[in-house]
Amino acid sequence: MKLAYIAYISLFLCTAATSSSAQETMDTTELSKAGKRAKADEYYFEGLKAKAKKDEDRAIHLFEQYTAVEPVISGAYFELAKLYFLQKKMDKSQAAIKKALELDPNNKWYKEEYAAILAESGKLSEAADVIAALANKETREQSYPIMAAEYYERAHKYNEAITYIDKAIARSSSDEDILLRKKVQLYLNLNDVEKAAGVVQQMIAREPKNGFNYKFLGSLYDNNKLPAKAEEVYVKAQKLLPDDPSVQMGLAEHYLKSGDTVKYKGFVKKAIVNPTLDADDQVDLLRAYVQSFPDEKTSITEGMPIIKELVAQHPDDAAILGFYGDFLEGSGQHDSAIVFFKRSVLLKSSDFDAWMKLLSNYTERRDADSMIKYSEKAMRLFPSQARVHFFNSVGHYNKKAYPQAIKAMNRAIDMQPENNRPLLAAMYSQLGDIYHASKQDQLSDEAFHKALAMEPNDPTVLNNYSYYLSVRGVKLDSAEKMSKKSLELRPNEGTFLDTYGWILYKQGKYEKAREYIQKAIDQAGPRADGTLYEHLGDIYYKLKDTQKAVQHWKTAKEKGEDDPQLEKKITEGKLYE
């Protein structure tokens, strides 16, 4: 018995030991799996964070690590597909989304992504089939048939696209007009004009008083060389809707195509001044109309009576008054234009473009006080707009208040973004003008160098800088090269001819200088100013023709030249420089 008992105890201990060892092994395995899952979760969430930070490479690496640990979670493959797509790695993107769909074959988001990947890979027909299947399954969703139609259209499968447009219309009427217009275009892509017209007739039947649809149908016929059918549509529309602006514009376009310019202009005007339109639409139509003419003079002639009628209709509309100001300015009625620009900004002070139009009309020296006054008003409204400070500087410059002009121009330069190099160069050039006028020659040169560094082929900058150098009698070789370049860029420009001639004069090349100054005078005609004639007189003096010199000096005086030495030149018949 004792031996048996001992054997039993030994067996029990052995069994207990074996059981304990097995439990320990199982616990270790579970801990190992839990650790892997925790690590995998870390990969996943770190991947999402990297994606949010646009670190695509790190995000891809982390999601790849995750799928190595957890190969049956579809969401990770979905994330990889999108990341590969962003990097244009379409083969990898397609493989990843297919794996996601294997794991979760009914996920509609995965199917949408699959279609997008196929489309990006040029497999438009396959992409369309994927979304079409989704549209057939998700019968309450309108977006899927629209997406399918778009993919089929891109794949040039127009009949299939029409099928899914019809499905989209059947599911919702909210976008029916847009979808019907798309259907029209699809039939036109199939060269089936009659079916396309049938769709528009369907639209007309639904809304018989919508003038746009008649215009749509008339234009469709006109664009497909069926003018008789277009005429029939417009005759019906005109009887039913005689004052509809869409019908009037349709008629205008119809008669323009048929070559009847009288009727074209008549219907255009009716449409533009149609009181059922709001002022913004009227302005848009008028702008399109006047821009259709080949030159500004014709645009103004044709548009002026129409804009006057709009002003009569809307005497307090800022946009229309400003547009009338444009017409007046274009026709040379400078002072009248200013009146309407003022009225425009008074009615709508927040319109920055209107302020710019007003200020641009005050750049003459005689308007210096007005420029300063109105630019200061604009500065209070738009303190961070560089162009307002630019105009303020111009006003002070014309007033010969150079410290204020310099301060304002430097403010403009500080505020002007560097991506608009032409405008910034113009500001530095103007700063160079101001420094020259205030006899700060070194600063003037520095400003012009900055302007030319930005716009080395700006003819105005080249001309102005070279002229100032010639006036000072310094760097004449450089001045001559810059002036010559400005003339190459803009031949026969009167001011540039004068500059080049004056540089030649300073170089002692009097006969050649006379030739260029005379060209400048001939180019300007009656508008030639006193400076040109004074320059020509100085040249003749150097050519030892005092009689002609005095004659041209007298003409300079008659033209209003205010050089303090001019009177002495005339009375003494002697050159003073």
Side-chain angles (χ1 to χ4, degrees):
M1 289 292 292
K2 188 175 181 182
L3 289 172
Y5 175 75
I6 292 170
Y8 175 77
I9 293 298
S10 297
L11 180 63
F12 174 80
L13 290 173
C14 182
T15 302
T18 303
S19 175
S20 175
S21 176
Q23 181 67 46
E24 186 179 317
T25 301
M26 186 172 68
D27 289 345
T28 303
T29 302
E30 288 300 319
L31 284 171
S32 176
K33 287 181 179 178
K36 286 181 179 179
R37 281 198 298 272
K39 190 63 179 174
D41 289 345
E42 183 182 341
Y43 288 142
Y44 194 92
F45 289 111
E46 287 298 317
L48 290 175
K49 284 164 64 176
K51 178 185 170 185
K53 293 177 180 178
K54 311 293 185 187
D55 189 347
E56 294 161 14
D57 289 334
R58 176 169 168 73
I60 287 171
H61 174 72
L62 288 163
F63 282 118
E64 286 175 341
Q65 293 281 86
Y66 178 85
T67 57
V69 178
E70 296 283 7
V72 294
I73 305 299
S74 64
Y77 295 102
F78 180 53
E79 294 296 341
L80 277 170
K82 291 188 289 183
L83 287 161
Y84 287 136
F85 185 96
L86 289 172
Q87 294 194 341
K88 303 298 180 186
K89 296 174 180 176
M90 306 314 298
D91 289 342
K92 286 190 172 185
S93 183
Q94 191 169 329
I97 199 66
K98 280 183 174 180
K99 183 66 177 176
L101 280 165
E102 282 176 20
L103 295 166
D104 189 356
N106 295 316
N107 190 306
K108 64 181 183 179
W109 310 114
Y110 296 179
K111 291 179 181 180
E112 285 185 31
E113 188 67 22
Y114 184 32
I117 293 165
L118 288 168
E120 184 67 20
S121 303
K123 300 173 182 177
L124 291 163
S125 185
E126 292 178 46
D129 289 343
V130 169
I131 297 298
L134 198 53
N136 295 335
K137 183 178 180 182
E138 302 282 342
T139 56
R140 294 185 179 182
E141 178 61 62
Q142 188 193 19
S143 65
Y144 289 139
I146 293 173
M147 288 170 64
E150 288 176 353
Y151 281 134
Y152 279 128
E153 182 183 11
R154 290 170 61 191
H156 304 296
K157 290 189 169 184
Y158 302 123
N159 284 313
E160 289 87 342
I162 290 167
T163 297
Y164 282 89
I165 286 289
D166 286 338
K167 285 181 183 288
I169 292 171
R171 293 182 188 186
S172 173
S173 61
S174 60
D175 297 323
E176 189 168 355
D177 277 353
I178 296 171
L179 294 171
L180 287 170
R181 285 197 286 274
K182 170 61 74 176
K183 190 174 177 180
V184 170
Q185 186 56 55
L186 290 167
Y187 276 125
L188 290 175
N189 290 343
L190 290 165
N191 294 316
D192 195 334
V193 176
E194 285 309 313
K195 282 190 177 177
V199 176
V200 186
Q201 287 161 354
Q202 179 187 342
M203 295 167 70
I204 290 171
R206 284 174 53 248
E207 294 183 272
K209 292 190 177 181
N210 184 337
F212 175 82
N213 290 334
Y214 293 97
K215 180 179 181 294
F216 190 16
L217 182 57
S219 297
L220 187 154
Y221 282 133
D222 269 331
N223 292 336
N224 287 278
K225 299 181 181 180
L226 296 167
K229 288 195 171 186
E231 182 86 22
E232 186 181 331
V233 170
Y234 286 125
V235 167
K236 178 182 176 182
Q238 198 175 12
K239 286 179 182 176
L240 184 65
L241 304 167
D243 299 319
D244 187 282
S246 292
V247 173
Q248 290 166 345
M249 281 305 300
L251 281 158
E253 291 169 8
H254 172 68
Y255 286 119
L256 180 63
K257 283 185 171 69
S258 67
D260 191 335
T261 55
V262 174
K263 285 185 178 178
Y264 159 67
K265 290 178 182 179
F267 280 108
V268 164
K269 182 177 178 182
K270 281 184 179 181
I272 295 170
V273 301
N274 192 312
T276 64
L277 291 175
D278 63 34
D280 289 342
D281 289 337
Q282 289 177 307
V283 168
D284 288 343
L285 283 175
L286 178 54
R287 182 173 283 110
Y289 174 60
V290 298
Q291 287 175 351
S292 69
F293 292 101
D295 58 83
E296 186 179 7
K297 184 178 179 182
T298 308
S299 297
I300 291 168
T301 302
E302 294 291 338
M304 185 67 85
I306 303 175
I307 188 64
K308 284 181 178 178
E309 193 164 339
L310 292 184
V311 170
Q313 280 185 18
H314 306 280
D316 296 321
D317 186 278
I320 285 177
L321 296 177
F323 200 23
Y324 186 34
D326 292 338
F327 276 89
L328 292 167
E329 185 179 12
S331 63
Q333 300 178 61
H334 174 79
D335 293 337
S336 297
I338 287 175
V339 170
F340 281 90
F341 288 138
K342 281 183 183 177
R343 285 177 61 185
S344 178
V345 298
L346 185 64
L347 286 163
K348 191 177 180 182
S349 61
S350 61
D351 189 338
F352 178 72
D353 289 338
W355 279 100
M356 292 300 97
K357 289 177 181 178
L358 174 62
L359 295 178
S360 66
N361 276 273
Y362 283 137
T363 56
E364 297 294 327
R365 185 166 292 176
R366 63 186 175 90
D367 296 319
D369 288 332
S370 294
M371 175 68 94
I372 293 168
K373 175 184 174 181
Y374 285 99
S375 64
E376 286 178 351
K377 286 186 176 183
M379 282 161 61
R380 288 193 287 274
L381 292 165
F382 312 101
S384 60
Q385 286 286 347
R387 282 187 287 167
V388 176
H389 296 279
F390 172 84
F391 280 122
N392 183 254
S393 176
V394 171
H396 285 297
Y397 171 65
N398 287 336
K399 191 78 172 174
K400 298 186 178 180
Y402 300 129
Q404 295 95 317
I406 291 166
K407 184 178 179 182
M409 190 58 68
N410 277 316
R411 272 202 307 266
I413 289 167
D414 288 342
M415 292 176 183
Q416 178 57 42
E418 291 187 5
N419 59 0
N420 191 337
R421 294 173 72 85
L423 182 54
L424 195 54
M427 290 178 176
Y428 275 117
S429 178
Q430 182 69 21
L431 185 60
D433 291 346
I434 303 166
Y435 279 133
H436 171 79
S438 60
K439 302 190 184 308
Q440 299 182 67
D441 296 336
Q442 184 177 343
L443 290 173
S444 176
D445 290 353
E446 289 174 5
F448 278 113
H449 285 153
K450 288 177 181 177
L452 288 171
M454 293 181 178
E455 291 292 312
N457 293 318
D458 187 308
T460 301
V461 177
L462 290 164
N463 172 76
N464 291 2
Y465 186 27
S466 58
Y467 180 70
Y468 293 147
L469 292 175
S470 71
V471 169
R472 286 155 50 197
V474 299
K475 303 178 184 176
L476 292 175
D477 288 342
S478 295
E480 191 268 338
K481 287 177 184 175
M482 286 191 289
S483 180
K484 188 175 182 180
K485 186 176 181 180
S486 73
L487 278 170
E488 289 169 356
L489 292 164
R490 202 184 293 171
N492 300 319
E493 178 79 29
T495 305
F496 297 0
L497 289 165
D498 175 44
T499 296
Y500 191 59
W502 194 242
I503 292 168
L504 294 170
Y505 169 82
K506 287 284 189 171
Q507 291 177 320
K509 302 171 183 177
Y510 302 124
E511 189 56 51
K512 199 171 180 182
R514 184 198 64 75
E515 177 188 335
Y516 277 89
I517 299 296
Q518 187 61 59
K519 278 184 183 179
I521 290 172
D522 294 343
Q523 184 75 15
R527 296 177 291 105
D529 62 22
T531 302
L532 285 170
Y533 282 99
E534 185 176 9
H535 285 172
L536 189 59
D538 292 354
I539 292 168
Y540 272 113
Y541 185 86
K542 290 289 189 180
L543 290 170
K544 304 188 184 309
D545 191 335
T546 306
Q547 184 179 353
K548 281 190 176 179
V550 172
Q551 175 189 331
H552 290 303
W553 287 335
K554 285 180 178 178
T555 303
K557 184 179 178 182
E558 291 166 7
K559 291 271 187 178
E561 180 61 29
D562 59 358
D563 181 355
Q565 302 290 345
L566 184 58
E567 188 61 42
K568 289 176 69 178
K569 291 180 183 180
I570 294 168
T571 56
E572 297 179 21
K574 185 178 177 182
L575 179 63
Y576 288 91
E577 293 184 292

